[in-house]
Amino acid sequence: MPDSSRDTAEGAGWGSAEPGAYRRLMPTEVQKISWLDPRMLWAARNGVLASWFGDPTGRTRSRWVAQRAAAGAPADKVIRRAEADRFSFLVIGDTGEGDEPQYAVVPGLLKAGRDTSFAVLASDVIYPVGSADDYDGKFFRPYRDYRAPIYAIPGNHDWYEDLGAFMRVFCGDAPPLPPEAKPRPLTRAWLRSLLWHRPRDGDGGRLAEARRLRSEPAQQAVQPGPYWAVDAGPVRIVAIDTGLLGTLDAEQGAWLREVSRDPRPKILITGSPLYVDGEYRPCSIEGGGTVDDLVRDPAHRYVAAIGGDIHNYQRYPVRVDGRTIQYVVCGGGGAFMHATHTIPRVDVADVTEDDFRCYPLRGDSLAFYSRLYGRRLRLRRFFTLTEDEATAVIAERLGIRPGRAPGATRITRRTRLVASLLGTGRRPGRKARFRLPVRKIYTQLFSPSSATYSPPFFKCFLRVDVSPEAVRLRCYAATGNRAQEVDPPVEDEVTIPLV
């Protein structure tokens, strides 16, 4: 097995002199996304408008589902695949920025996933607003050599244009929805409609040409809507759409309750993870109850819940009524990296730090962000921490055994100050010596524009191997370095018994 970040700094991608070959896959011109650009923020305003003036996605989703049902989609929204009892599939989350970090995932993904039956994109297929003309360089081109079907669930960014492009690409070239009646003036809905972002005229004119990049019969898939299930071999895979604000409407909630009654073991895939950053987020359902209520019900036989939206990897093995459910965050498929060094020492639902896994390791995350701040603030000598310094100060602040043992290094006042300024987590109940206005200030300042264009990128994807006896989850790393392209390292692995 190749070295991973838990073995050596080189396995994490630090210090490599040979970049990968992923740039050969990229188009000649790439749009660089920056969430510090006011124009980008204005285009992506629908999430804020939904929180202020009411969320319309439940109604819009219901209209899409009705349209697909009228076109002949199965009423139960279940895709039935003729898989053997033993098969594999990929999960890739939060992919579509279309730049170096997304394409850097592709070589390792093609190698580790060459014998998989299909892939699932979990949340935020296209940034910034899910436009149809962005699918060329952010979906069809990067995955043109993946020879199996790709299914998807939308994230909030795919909803910023009311899901029109997503439905055209993944749901049988679904036509646009007819316009709704205009809301009454001076109502919340009227105010929302005045400010709502909509697709530009002519959007999607390049889709027909882009589709040729994934035109082989074996690559084709049509799903019944934005939420669906797949029956494959001995398991049922249930995929839900959490819309703009991370919740389920009543209609989808009723479907989830019904589809969960099937007696097979199940894997949930969701755009909003249920455990993340050391916190529990059960995902409410309109009308009462939560998604996690259904996942925890032993009659439903869920063995894992995999969510995108957060751009890294995390795993929480939660013990429920004598069994263990694996709650996984898998959103490191291409978008800017959300830090892991801000995650406090884990103590949630009886999951301790010894049980918890993440990628990148907290020390690597802190070293990454220290370089980022040093470069952007032109304070490299002050902010930049070595991998060993970052790993050591993380272990001190959280009181944990580091995932990779640091070399001989001394923790200085500067090291501790930089770790504090960059929002490094702490032990539960331990108070900071000083408190910043925003604990994770980096998320408001540089993280939304933190994509770097030289390795290591700390991206990842998930391979799921299914048999009648067990499900095996493996998190593979993609750093952008040649060594990890040739032989993708496994950063985490767990086997879930089904019998």
mmCIF file of all heavy atoms in Angstrom, residues 408-450:
data_model
loop_
_atom_site.group_PDB
_atom_site.id
_atom_site.type_symbol
_atom_site.label_atom_id
_atom_site.label_comp_id
_atom_site.label_asym_id
_atom_site.label_seq_id
_atom_site.Cartn_x
_atom_site.Cartn_y
_atom_site.Cartn_z
ATOM 1 N N ALA A 408 10.973 16.141 15.305
ATOM 2 C CA ALA A 408 11.407 16.949 16.444
ATOM 3 C C ALA A 408 11.143 18.422 16.144
ATOM 4 O O ALA A 408 11.645 18.971 15.157
ATOM 5 C CB ALA A 408 12.895 16.713 16.706
ATOM 6 N N THR A 409 10.332 19.046 16.953
ATOM 7 C CA THR A 409 9.998 20.449 16.747
ATOM 8 C C THR A 409 9.634 21.087 18.075
ATOM 9 O O THR A 409 9.202 20.400 19.001
ATOM 10 C CB THR A 409 8.833 20.605 15.737
ATOM 11 O OG1 THR A 409 8.647 21.990 15.422
ATOM 12 C CG2 THR A 409 7.532 20.059 16.313
ATOM 13 N N ARG A 410 9.827 22.394 18.172
ATOM 14 C CA ARG A 410 9.516 23.123 19.403
ATOM 15 C C ARG A 410 8.300 24.001 19.162
ATOM 16 O O ARG A 410 8.204 24.703 18.153
ATOM 17 C CB ARG A 410 10.715 23.990 19.814
ATOM 18 C CG ARG A 410 10.566 24.654 21.176
ATOM 19 C CD ARG A 410 11.899 25.225 21.614
ATOM 20 N NE ARG A 410 12.356 26.282 20.728
ATOM 21 C CZ ARG A 410 12.096 27.586 20.905
ATOM 22 N NH1 ARG A 410 11.353 27.967 21.952
ATOM 23 N NH2 ARG A 410 12.564 28.477 20.072
ATOM 24 N N ILE A 411 7.334 23.936 20.087
ATOM 25 C CA ILE A 411 6.139 24.768 19.985
ATOM 26 C C ILE A 411 6.442 26.118 20.626
ATOM 27 O O ILE A 411 6.711 26.200 21.831
ATOM 28 C CB ILE A 411 4.939 24.098 20.672
ATOM 29 C CG1 ILE A 411 4.669 22.725 20.046
ATOM 30 C CG2 ILE A 411 3.699 24.973 20.561
ATOM 31 C CD1 ILE A 411 3.595 21.930 20.758
ATOM 32 N N THR A 412 6.395 27.157 19.831
ATOM 33 C CA THR A 412 6.751 28.498 20.293
ATOM 34 C C THR A 412 5.495 29.341 20.511
ATOM 35 O O THR A 412 4.381 28.945 20.155
ATOM 36 C CB THR A 412 7.653 29.191 19.263
ATOM 37 O OG1 THR A 412 6.896 29.381 18.058
ATOM 38 C CG2 THR A 412 8.879 28.352 18.961
ATOM 39 N N ARG A 413 5.700 30.536 21.061
ATOM 40 C CA ARG A 413 4.583 31.470 21.231
ATOM 41 C C ARG A 413 3.987 31.841 19.875
ATOM 42 O O ARG A 413 2.784 31.987 19.731
ATOM 43 C CB ARG A 413 5.054 32.724 21.973
ATOM 44 C CG ARG A 413 5.431 32.476 23.436
ATOM 45 C CD ARG A 413 5.943 33.738 24.089
ATOM 46 N NE ARG A 413 4.912 34.770 24.139
ATOM 47 C CZ ARG A 413 5.136 36.012 24.575
ATOM 48 N NH1 ARG A 413 6.353 36.369 24.972
ATOM 49 N NH2 ARG A 413 4.154 36.880 24.597
ATOM 50 N N ARG A 414 4.842 32.011 18.861
ATOM 51 C CA ARG A 414 4.337 32.325 17.522
ATOM 52 C C ARG A 414 3.467 31.185 16.978
ATOM 53 O O ARG A 414 2.391 31.428 16.418
ATOM 54 C CB ARG A 414 5.504 32.572 16.565
ATOM 55 C CG ARG A 414 5.055 32.907 15.131
ATOM 56 C CD ARG A 414 6.238 32.959 14.180
ATOM 57 N NE ARG A 414 6.780 31.633 13.935
ATOM 58 C CZ ARG A 414 6.363 30.821 12.958
ATOM 59 N NH1 ARG A 414 5.382 31.197 12.151
ATOM 60 N NH2 ARG A 414 6.918 29.637 12.795
ATOM 61 N N THR A 415 3.910 29.947 17.179
ATOM 62 C CA THR A 415 3.145 28.796 16.702
ATOM 63 C C THR A 415 1.763 28.784 17.337
ATOM 64 O O THR A 415 0.752 28.580 16.651
ATOM 65 C CB THR A 415 3.891 27.491 17.033
ATOM 66 O OG1 THR A 415 5.217 27.551 16.501
ATOM 67 C CG2 THR A 415 3.162 26.292 16.446
ATOM 68 N N ARG A 416 1.723 29.001 18.644
ATOM 69 C CA ARG A 416 0.435 28.989 19.341
ATOM 70 C C ARG A 416 -0.448 30.151 18.892
ATOM 71 O O ARG A 416 -1.662 29.994 18.753
ATOM 72 C CB ARG A 416 0.667 29.048 20.851
ATOM 73 C CG ARG A 416 1.352 27.805 21.424
ATOM 74 C CD ARG A 416 1.397 27.859 22.941
ATOM 75 N NE ARG A 416 2.020 26.660 23.500
ATOM 76 C CZ ARG A 416 3.285 26.606 23.919
ATOM 77 N NH1 ARG A 416 4.052 27.702 23.860
ATOM 78 N NH2 ARG A 416 3.784 25.484 24.409
ATOM 79 N N LEU A 417 0.142 31.325 18.668
ATOM 80 C CA LEU A 417 -0.635 32.483 18.249
ATOM 81 C C LEU A 417 -1.230 32.269 16.856
ATOM 82 O O LEU A 417 -2.406 32.550 16.621
ATOM 83 C CB LEU A 417 0.238 33.736 18.268
ATOM 84 C CG LEU A 417 -0.438 35.035 17.800
ATOM 85 C CD1 LEU A 417 -1.663 35.346 18.655
ATOM 86 C CD2 LEU A 417 0.549 36.195 17.831
ATOM 87 N N VAL A 418 -0.430 31.749 15.925
ATOM 88 C CA VAL A 418 -0.938 31.486 14.575
ATOM 89 C C VAL A 418 -2.065 30.460 14.630
ATOM 90 O O VAL A 418 -3.104 30.614 13.972
ATOM 91 C CB VAL A 418 0.200 31.013 13.642
ATOM 92 C CG1 VAL A 418 -0.355 30.506 12.315
ATOM 93 C CG2 VAL A 418 1.188 32.151 13.399
ATOM 94 N N ALA A 419 -1.885 29.403 15.426
ATOM 95 C CA ALA A 419 -2.939 28.390 15.549
ATOM 96 C C ALA A 419 -4.232 29.019 16.076
ATOM 97 O O ALA A 419 -5.328 28.697 15.595
ATOM 98 C CB ALA A 419 -2.476 27.263 16.468
ATOM 99 N N SER A 420 -4.128 29.932 17.037
ATOM 100 C CA SER A 420 -5.326 30.596 17.567
ATOM 101 C C SER A 420 -5.972 31.492 16.526
ATOM 102 O O SER A 420 -7.195 31.480 16.349
ATOM 103 C CB SER A 420 -4.961 31.420 18.804
ATOM 104 O OG SER A 420 -4.541 30.592 19.865
ATOM 105 N N LEU A 421 -5.166 32.277 15.826
ATOM 106 C CA LEU A 421 -5.704 33.193 14.826
ATOM 107 C C LEU A 421 -6.425 32.460 13.702
ATOM 108 O O LEU A 421 -7.376 32.977 13.121
ATOM 109 C CB LEU A 421 -4.577 34.053 14.252
ATOM 110 C CG LEU A 421 -3.984 35.106 15.188
ATOM 111 C CD1 LEU A 421 -2.755 35.750 14.555
ATOM 112 C CD2 LEU A 421 -5.012 36.164 15.543
ATOM 113 N N LEU A 422 -5.974 31.258 13.402
ATOM 114 C CA LEU A 422 -6.578 30.486 12.313
ATOM 115 C C LEU A 422 -7.689 29.564 12.801
ATOM 116 O O LEU A 422 -8.124 28.676 12.075
ATOM 117 C CB LEU A 422 -5.504 29.688 11.574
ATOM 118 C CG LEU A 422 -4.460 30.544 10.850
ATOM 119 C CD1 LEU A 422 -3.475 29.670 10.093
ATOM 120 C CD2 LEU A 422 -5.115 31.542 9.911
ATOM 121 N N GLY A 423 -8.172 29.778 14.018
ATOM 122 C CA GLY A 423 -9.373 29.105 14.484
ATOM 123 C C GLY A 423 -9.196 27.664 14.891
ATOM 124 O O GLY A 423 -10.160 26.887 14.864
ATOM 125 N N THR A 424 -7.991 27.270 15.278
ATOM 126 C CA THR A 424 -7.758 25.875 15.643
ATOM 127 C C THR A 424 -8.658 25.448 16.799
ATOM 128 O O THR A 424 -8.854 26.196 17.760
ATOM 129 C CB THR A 424 -6.276 25.674 16.032
ATOM 130 O OG1 THR A 424 -5.468 26.103 14.940
ATOM 131 C CG2 THR A 424 -5.989 24.220 16.341
ATOM 132 N N GLY A 425 -9.221 24.239 16.684
ATOM 133 C CA GLY A 425 -10.137 23.732 17.694
ATOM 134 C C GLY A 425 -9.474 23.512 19.041
ATOM 135 O O GLY A 425 -8.250 23.587 19.187
ATOM 136 N N ARG A 426 -10.317 23.205 20.041
ATOM 137 C CA ARG A 426 -9.828 23.010 21.408
ATOM 138 C C ARG A 426 -10.502 21.805 22.043
ATOM 139 O O ARG A 426 -11.421 21.213 21.465
ATOM 140 C CB ARG A 426 -10.118 24.254 22.268
ATOM 141 C CG ARG A 426 -9.291 25.463 21.902
ATOM 142 C CD ARG A 426 -9.600 26.640 22.797
ATOM 143 N NE ARG A 426 -8.654 27.731 22.567
ATOM 144 C CZ ARG A 426 -7.484 27.852 23.180
ATOM 145 N NH1 ARG A 426 -7.121 26.950 24.076
ATOM 146 N NH2 ARG A 426 -6.688 28.861 22.927
ATOM 147 N N ARG A 427 -10.052 21.490 23.229
ATOM 148 C CA ARG A 427 -10.719 20.455 24.015
ATOM 149 C C ARG A 427 -12.070 20.970 24.492
ATOM 150 O O ARG A 427 -12.221 22.169 24.750
ATOM 151 C CB ARG A 427 -9.877 20.068 25.223
ATOM 152 C CG ARG A 427 -8.451 19.701 24.907
ATOM 153 C CD ARG A 427 -7.680 19.366 26.171
ATOM 154 N NE ARG A 427 -6.248 19.508 25.947
ATOM 155 C CZ ARG A 427 -5.330 19.206 26.850
ATOM 156 N NH1 ARG A 427 -5.707 18.771 28.038
ATOM 157 N NH2 ARG A 427 -4.048 19.373 26.576
ATOM 158 N N PRO A 428 -13.073 20.079 24.606
ATOM 159 C CA PRO A 428 -14.384 20.528 25.110
ATOM 160 C C PRO A 428 -14.246 21.173 26.484
ATOM 161 O O PRO A 428 -13.546 20.667 27.369
ATOM 162 C CB PRO A 428 -15.188 19.223 25.183
ATOM 163 C CG PRO A 428 -14.535 18.312 24.209
ATOM 164 C CD PRO A 428 -13.067 18.651 24.243
ATOM 165 N N GLY A 429 -14.895 22.331 26.649
ATOM 166 C CA GLY A 429 -14.904 23.008 27.930
ATOM 167 C C GLY A 429 -13.707 23.877 28.220
ATOM 168 O O GLY A 429 -13.678 24.583 29.222
ATOM 169 N N ARG A 430 -12.714 23.840 27.340
ATOM 170 C CA ARG A 430 -11.524 24.650 27.577
ATOM 171 C C ARG A 430 -11.718 26.021 26.947
ATOM 172 O O ARG A 430 -12.014 26.130 25.764
ATOM 173 C CB ARG A 430 -10.292 23.979 26.970
ATOM 174 C CG ARG A 430 -8.992 24.710 27.282
ATOM 175 C CD ARG A 430 -7.806 23.971 26.694
ATOM 176 N NE ARG A 430 -6.564 24.682 26.946
ATOM 177 C CZ ARG A 430 -5.394 24.307 26.444
ATOM 178 N NH1 ARG A 430 -5.316 23.230 25.689
ATOM 179 N NH2 ARG A 430 -4.305 25.002 26.707
ATOM 180 N N LYS A 431 -11.560 27.080 27.704
ATOM 181 C CA LYS A 431 -11.801 28.438 27.226
ATOM 182 C C LYS A 431 -10.544 29.003 26.571
ATOM 183 O O LYS A 431 -9.420 28.731 26.985
ATOM 184 C CB LYS A 431 -12.231 29.347 28.389
ATOM 185 C CG LYS A 431 -13.572 28.967 28.987
ATOM 186 C CD LYS A 431 -13.973 29.941 30.080
ATOM 187 C CE LYS A 431 -15.322 29.567 30.663
ATOM 188 N NZ LYS A 431 -15.722 30.503 31.747
ATOM 189 N N ALA A 432 -10.775 29.800 25.531
ATOM 190 C CA ALA A 432 -9.671 30.472 24.863
ATOM 191 C C ALA A 432 -9.154 31.615 25.738
ATOM 192 O O ALA A 432 -9.893 32.210 26.504
ATOM 193 C CB ALA A 432 -10.139 31.014 23.511
ATOM 194 N N ARG A 433 -7.884 31.925 25.580
ATOM 195 C CA ARG A 433 -7.304 33.043 26.320
ATOM 196 C C ARG A 433 -7.870 34.371 25.818
ATOM 197 O O ARG A 433 -7.934 35.337 26.552
ATOM 198 C CB ARG A 433 -5.783 33.022 26.173
ATOM 199 C CG ARG A 433 -5.143 31.828 26.867
ATOM 200 C CD ARG A 433 -3.637 31.863 26.725
ATOM 201 N NE ARG A 433 -3.007 30.719 27.358
ATOM 202 C CZ ARG A 433 -1.704 30.478 27.328
ATOM 203 N NH1 ARG A 433 -0.897 31.303 26.698
ATOM 204 N NH2 ARG A 433 -1.212 29.409 27.925
ATOM 205 N N PHE A 434 -8.181 34.413 24.527
ATOM 206 C CA PHE A 434 -8.872 35.580 23.980
ATOM 207 C C PHE A 434 -9.842 35.074 22.939
ATOM 208 O O PHE A 434 -9.678 34.003 22.360
ATOM 209 C CB PHE A 434 -7.881 36.593 23.383
ATOM 210 C CG PHE A 434 -7.077 36.038 22.233
ATOM 211 C CD1 PHE A 434 -7.505 36.177 20.923
ATOM 212 C CD2 PHE A 434 -5.866 35.381 22.476
ATOM 213 C CE1 PHE A 434 -6.766 35.683 19.871
ATOM 214 C CE2 PHE A 434 -5.126 34.879 21.417
ATOM 215 C CZ PHE A 434 -5.575 35.030 20.113
ATOM 216 N N ARG A 435 -10.888 35.834 22.704
ATOM 217 C CA ARG A 435 -11.952 35.385 21.805
ATOM 218 C C ARG A 435 -12.069 36.352 20.625
ATOM 219 O O ARG A 435 -12.225 37.550 20.813
ATOM 220 C CB ARG A 435 -13.289 35.320 22.547
ATOM 221 C CG ARG A 435 -14.412 34.721 21.724
ATOM 222 C CD ARG A 435 -15.675 34.625 22.554
ATOM 223 N NE ARG A 435 -15.494 33.733 23.686
ATOM 224 C CZ ARG A 435 -15.619 32.422 23.618
ATOM 225 N NH1 ARG A 435 -15.915 31.850 22.471
ATOM 226 N NH2 ARG A 435 -15.435 31.681 24.680
ATOM 227 N N LEU A 436 -11.967 35.795 19.412
ATOM 228 C CA LEU A 436 -12.143 36.611 18.218
ATOM 229 C C LEU A 436 -13.633 36.846 17.986
ATOM 230 O O LEU A 436 -14.472 36.085 18.463
ATOM 231 C CB LEU A 436 -11.539 35.893 17.007
ATOM 232 C CG LEU A 436 -10.009 35.724 17.029
ATOM 233 C CD1 LEU A 436 -9.582 34.841 15.872
ATOM 234 C CD2 LEU A 436 -9.310 37.055 16.965
ATOM 235 N N PRO A 437 -14.001 37.903 17.242
ATOM 236 C CA PRO A 437 -15.420 38.168 16.971
ATOM 237 C C PRO A 437 -16.114 36.987 16.316
ATOM 238 O O PRO A 437 -17.275 36.731 16.582
ATOM 239 C CB PRO A 437 -15.376 39.389 16.047
ATOM 240 C CG PRO A 437 -14.082 40.045 16.346
ATOM 241 C CD PRO A 437 -13.137 38.949 16.705
ATOM 242 N N VAL A 438 -15.402 36.272 15.459
ATOM 243 C CA VAL A 438 -15.940 35.085 14.820
ATOM 244 C C VAL A 438 -14.936 33.968 15.051
ATOM 245 O O VAL A 438 -13.777 34.091 14.669
ATOM 246 C CB VAL A 438 -16.167 35.303 13.302
ATOM 247 C CG1 VAL A 438 -16.745 34.048 12.673
ATOM 248 C CG2 VAL A 438 -17.103 36.488 13.066
ATOM 249 N N ARG A 439 -15.369 32.878 15.674
ATOM 250 C CA ARG A 439 -14.418 31.829 16.039
ATOM 251 C C ARG A 439 -13.684 31.296 14.825
ATOM 252 O O ARG A 439 -12.477 31.110 14.832
ATOM 253 C CB ARG A 439 -15.139 30.678 16.756
ATOM 254 C CG ARG A 439 -14.181 29.587 17.240
ATOM 255 C CD ARG A 439 -14.928 28.513 17.989
ATOM 256 N NE ARG A 439 -15.783 27.730 17.137
ATOM 257 C CZ ARG A 439 -15.369 26.652 16.469
ATOM 258 N NH1 ARG A 439 -14.115 26.274 16.540
ATOM 259 N NH2 ARG A 439 -16.205 25.974 15.729
ATOM 260 N N LYS A 440 -14.424 31.046 13.744
ATOM 261 C CA LYS A 440 -13.793 30.549 12.525
ATOM 262 C C LYS A 440 -13.720 31.695 11.520
ATOM 263 O O LYS A 440 -14.326 31.669 10.466
ATOM 264 C CB LYS A 440 -14.572 29.367 11.956
ATOM 265 C CG LYS A 440 -14.601 28.154 12.875
ATOM 266 C CD LYS A 440 -15.356 27.015 12.219
ATOM 267 C CE LYS A 440 -15.446 25.819 13.153
ATOM 268 N NZ LYS A 440 -16.207 24.705 12.558
ATOM 269 N N ILE A 441 -12.952 32.719 11.903
ATOM 270 C CA ILE A 441 -12.922 33.911 11.059
ATOM 271 C C ILE A 441 -12.411 33.601 9.663
ATOM 272 O O ILE A 441 -12.752 34.259 8.689
ATOM 273 C CB ILE A 441 -12.076 35.004 11.730
ATOM 274 C CG1 ILE A 441 -12.311 36.358 11.049
ATOM 275 C CG2 ILE A 441 -10.604 34.643 11.749
ATOM 276 C CD1 ILE A 441 -11.715 37.526 11.808
ATOM 277 N N TYR A 442 -11.587 32.571 9.517
ATOM 278 C CA TYR A 442 -11.045 32.221 8.210
ATOM 279 C C TYR A 442 -12.160 31.893 7.228
ATOM 280 O O TYR A 442 -12.035 32.116 6.021
ATOM 281 C CB TYR A 442 -10.089 31.027 8.323
ATOM 282 C CG TYR A 442 -10.808 29.711 8.260
ATOM 283 C CD1 TYR A 442 -10.936 29.025 7.057
ATOM 284 C CD2 TYR A 442 -11.419 29.188 9.389
ATOM 285 C CE1 TYR A 442 -11.647 27.841 7.000
ATOM 286 C CE2 TYR A 442 -12.114 28.021 9.328
ATOM 287 C CZ TYR A 442 -12.221 27.350 8.134
ATOM 288 O OH TYR A 442 -12.939 26.182 8.081
ATOM 289 N N THR A 443 -13.301 31.343 7.730
ATOM 290 C CA THR A 443 -14.375 30.967 6.814
ATOM 291 C C THR A 443 -15.025 32.182 6.191
ATOM 292 O O THR A 443 -15.589 32.102 5.106
ATOM 293 C CB THR A 443 -15.458 30.149 7.541
ATOM 294 O OG1 THR A 443 -16.054 30.964 8.554
ATOM 295 C CG2 THR A 443 -14.907 28.898 8.164
ATOM 296 N N GLN A 444 -14.955 33.319 6.860
ATOM 297 C CA GLN A 444 -15.541 34.539 6.323
ATOM 298 C C GLN A 444 -14.545 35.322 5.467
ATOM 299 O O GLN A 444 -14.948 36.161 4.668
ATOM 300 C CB GLN A 444 -16.019 35.437 7.477
ATOM 301 C CG GLN A 444 -16.985 34.778 8.422
ATOM 302 C CD GLN A 444 -18.248 34.334 7.723
ATOM 303 O OE1 GLN A 444 -18.760 35.040 6.866
ATOM 304 N NE2 GLN A 444 -18.740 33.171 8.077
ATOM 305 N N LEU A 445 -13.262 35.044 5.620
ATOM 306 C CA LEU A 445 -12.263 35.874 4.967
ATOM 307 C C LEU A 445 -11.642 35.184 3.757
ATOM 308 O O LEU A 445 -11.878 35.593 2.627
ATOM 309 C CB LEU A 445 -11.183 36.260 5.985
ATOM 310 C CG LEU A 445 -10.145 37.287 5.530
ATOM 311 C CD1 LEU A 445 -10.827 38.561 5.063
ATOM 312 C CD2 LEU A 445 -9.198 37.603 6.681
ATOM 313 N N PHE A 446 -10.885 34.106 3.981
ATOM 314 C CA PHE A 446 -10.135 33.534 2.872
ATOM 315 C C PHE A 446 -10.615 32.153 2.437
ATOM 316 O O PHE A 446 -10.398 31.756 1.306
ATOM 317 C CB PHE A 446 -8.652 33.429 3.234
ATOM 318 C CG PHE A 446 -7.940 34.739 3.165
ATOM 319 C CD1 PHE A 446 -6.920 35.019 4.035
ATOM 320 C CD2 PHE A 446 -8.297 35.682 2.220
ATOM 321 C CE1 PHE A 446 -6.257 36.231 3.975
ATOM 322 C CE2 PHE A 446 -7.639 36.895 2.146
ATOM 323 C CZ PHE A 446 -6.619 37.171 3.033
ATOM 324 N N SER A 447 -11.238 31.386 3.301
ATOM 325 C CA SER A 447 -11.610 30.030 2.919
ATOM 326 C C SER A 447 -12.466 29.971 1.661
ATOM 327 O O SER A 447 -12.235 29.133 0.805
ATOM 328 C CB SER A 447 -12.332 29.325 4.068
ATOM 329 O OG SER A 447 -12.699 28.021 3.695
ATOM 330 N N PRO A 448 -13.454 30.840 1.469
ATOM 331 C CA PRO A 448 -14.249 30.746 0.258
ATOM 332 C C PRO A 448 -13.490 31.092 -1.013
ATOM 333 O O PRO A 448 -14.035 31.013 -2.102
ATOM 334 C CB PRO A 448 -15.380 31.760 0.497
ATOM 335 C CG PRO A 448 -15.439 31.911 1.968
ATOM 336 C CD PRO A 448 -14.021 31.803 2.409
ATOM 337 N N SER A 449 -12.233 31.466 -0.904
ATOM 338 C CA SER A 449 -11.425 31.709 -2.092
ATOM 339 C C SER A 449 -10.079 31.029 -1.921
ATOM 340 O O SER A 449 -9.052 31.517 -2.357
ATOM 341 C CB SER A 449 -11.227 33.213 -2.292
ATOM 342 O OG SER A 449 -10.486 33.458 -3.476
ATOM 343 N N SER A 450 -10.092 29.863 -1.282
ATOM 344 C CA SER A 450 -8.836 29.274 -0.863
ATOM 345 C C SER A 450 -8.306 28.229 -1.820
ATOM 346 O O SER A 450 -7.338 27.560 -1.509
ATOM 347 C CB SER A 450 -8.992 28.633 0.523
ATOM 348 O OG SER A 450 -9.871 27.534 0.459
#
